[in-house]
Amino acid sequence: MAENRTGQRLTVGLPDGRGYPIVLGSGLLGTAGLLDPFVGAQVLLVSNAAVAERYLDAVRASLGTDRADVVLIGDGERFKTLDTYATILDALIAKRHSRATSVVALGGGVVGDVAGFAAATYQRGVGLVQIPTTLLAQVDSSVGGKTAVNHATGKNLIGAFYQPRAVIADVDVLTTLPEREYRAGLAEVVKYGVIADAGFFAWLERSMEALLRREPDALIRAVRRSCEIKAEVVAEDEREQGRRAILNFGHTFGHAIEAQTGYTTYLHGEAVAIGMAMAARLSADLGRIREADADRLQLLLRRAGLPTEADGIEAVATLATMGMDKKAVDGRIRLVLCDRIGGVSVTADTPDEKIAKAIADGAT
Ligand SMILES: NC(=O)c1ccc[n+]([C@@H]2O[C@H](COP(=O)([O-])OP(=O)(O)OC[C@H]3O[C@@H](n4cnc5c(N)ncnc54)[C@H](O)[C@@H]3O)[C@@H](O)[C@H]2O)c1
């Protein structure tokens, strides 16, 4: 089905006038005036060199004026730090940005998270616009208002809930994304099908080849449905006191796998793919879903070019890491398990032996 490519709008509905649009399409960046409804008189564009060389000029053109200052930060997770955050604040102060300024984050989740935290705290909060340029950022990190930097002792330990004024997602930027980064983003797309929409999951099964070719219509549909699901969950539970936890499907296993492999073997989305396969196998072992459904998820992940088994992890150590996860409750591991393809529940009563077995079965 042909998609409207020139700018579809979704809304993240939040109370107190804090709701915001997600503008989604193909060929959006560079459109004169695109950003103007969402920014004030001053703008600080935050990006990194790799993204800026490709897309900064188009974003400047979308601003319609010359008024933007620019700060480029280092590329990669190791720059998601307080030092980088301070660099952004220094730029805001040096260029005398007032409370009316807007921070525009152009990049993947790293740029979005650190620029978002700077926007949340500069003069107690200024405008923020997210222009996500990775698939993961378009379907996940740019929507929902979590901003953060890492601390030497752990990821995302310092941050704030802070919602943007708008998210602008142009799927054309995804054509320059390295293949491995792109496929890692597909893991999060598959996640939305599993947690909330069996029809979307079936569409992903039909459309995986088109998605791997990065066809704009398929991408628009995948990003739109992912954002709709995320927006709906966030609107219901902005600060993760309940339902928002379903977005962590595969993540408790995934985070432990990342930690156990020193954050170097797997990209986040790859670890989440392995984690989702483990969570599905565990769900089948507990009799919550049929083996055939766990197999269906595993097959789709493999077709997306994602790993479904982990190399170099040990079940007991991984289980211990999961117990230390900041989302564990009273030492009990909170897990999101499948009730079916398209529905999950948060649980805290899975016996450790069963979790360990799922890890061992998913380790090579
Ligand atoms: N805030 C949230 O709710 C949330 C949710 C999920 C993940 N995250 C965070 O997101 C981060 C990961 O984000 P990511 O996967 O986008 O990684 P990333 O920001 O490091 O980007 C991945 C790589 O792709 C490059 N890149 C970005 N856009 C490109 C493009 N269009 N063309 C070519 N190269 C491009 C980047 O320079 C980088 O090297 C992590 O820090 C994670 O904690 C946050």
Side-chain angles (χ1 to χ4, degrees):
M1 192 179 60
E3 292 283 343
N4 167 9
R5 295 186 179 181
T6 53
Q8 306 186 15
R9 243 172 203 260
L10 316 172
T11 303
V12 184
L14 291 171
D16 314 321
R18 291 176 304 117
Y20 53 94
I22 302 169
V23 184
L24 162 68
S26 156
L28 297 181
L29 290 190
T31 309
L34 175 71
L35 290 173
D36 290 356
F38 312 116
V39 299
Q42 285 176 305
V43 171
L44 180 74
L45 278 164
V46 183
S47 193
N48 69 34
V51 175
E53 76 177 357
R54 294 178 168 99
Y55 303 113
L56 192 65
D57 286 347
V59 172
R60 278 184 186 281
S62 302
L63 273 167
T65 75
D66 242 0
R67 64 181 177 236
D69 295 313
V70 178
V71 62
L72 299 186
I73 65 171
D75 189 352
E77 185 72 26
R78 70 196 171 89
F79 291 100
K80 204 173 117 174
T81 58
L82 278 173
D83 278 352
T84 303
Y85 160 77
T87 305
I88 299 171
L89 294 184
D90 288 346
L92 286 161
I93 292 163
K95 306 277 183 182
R96 298 177 188 282
H97 282 249
S98 73
R99 279 203 73 186
T101 194
S102 306
V103 171
V104 174
L106 172 70
V110 168
V111 168
D113 277 13
V114 64
F117 185 48
T121 48
Y122 182 63
Q123 300 206 12
R124 302 194 182 88
V126 295
L128 170 66
V129 174
Q130 293 277 6
I131 307 183
T133 63
T134 64
L135 182 55
L136 178 130
Q138 293 195 350
V139 299
D140 191 359
S141 61
S142 66
V143 176
K146 282 188 182 177
T147 71
V149 295
N150 300 329
H151 184 264
T153 58
K155 278 192 68 171
N156 298 326
L157 284 184
I158 306 154
F161 283 97
Y162 194 69
Q163 302 291 343
R165 296 229 174 112
V167 178
I168 315 268
D170 184 338
V171 297
D172 291 0
V173 303
L174 302 179
T175 54
T176 58
L177 201 58
E179 186 67 20
R180 200 174 156 201
E181 295 287 349
Y182 178 74
R183 288 174 186 245
L186 284 176
E188 299 287 352
V189 175
V190 169
K191 177 190 79 178
Y192 290 111
V194 182
I195 66 171
D197 188 343
F200 182 51
F201 188 92
W203 177 81
L204 290 171
E205 291 178 314
R206 293 194 299 278
S207 310
M208 189 46 75
E209 276 66 41
L211 282 170
L212 289 171
R213 289 192 296 271
R214 308 189 199 186
E215 290 177 9
D217 285 348
L219 274 172
I220 289 172
R221 181 149 176 195
V223 174
R224 182 182 61 214
R225 191 64 194 124
S226 300
C227 287
E228 279 170 357
I229 293 169
K230 179 142 190 194
E232 189 248 317
V233 173
V234 167
E236 215 175 280
D237 178 22
E238 188 182 356
R239 287 174 174 258
E240 201 167 320
Q241 276 148 353
R243 186 159 184 249
R244 189 165 177 166
I246 69 169
L247 297 171
N248 295 326
F249 177 63
H251 285 60
T252 310
F253 285 106
H255 288 150
I257 292 164
E258 285 182 278
Q260 283 294 303
T261 51
Y263 294 94
T264 50
T265 312
Y266 297 108
L267 296 177
H268 175 69
E270 294 170 339
V272 167
I274 298 167
M276 289 194 291
M278 285 178 177
R281 272 193 291 266
L282 175 57
S283 305
D285 189 29
L286 295 168
R288 302 171 69 103
I289 57 167
R290 295 172 304 153
E291 285 288 343
D293 285 331
D295 292 346
R296 218 178 133 192
L297 171 58
Q298 185 152 325
L299 180 63
L300 183 59
L301 293 169
R302 288 202 180 140
R303 284 176 60 210
L306 288 160
T308 54
E309 292 180 332
D311 217 1
I313 61 159
E314 202 273 307
V316 175
T318 308
L319 184 69
T321 308
M322 288 169 79
M324 291 182 302
D325 191 289
K326 63 179 183 281
K327 284 161 185 152
V329 189
D330 300 333
R332 305 208 67 121
I333 298 172
R334 225 158 48 128
L335 283 178
V336 184
L337 295 177
C338 303
D339 303 321
R340 59 186 181 280
I341 297 281
V344 289
S345 309
V346 183
T347 64
D349 58 1
T350 312
D352 281 1
E353 317 80 74
K354 292 277 186 191
I355 303 174
K357 179 174 183 307
I359 300 167
D361 289 349
T364 52

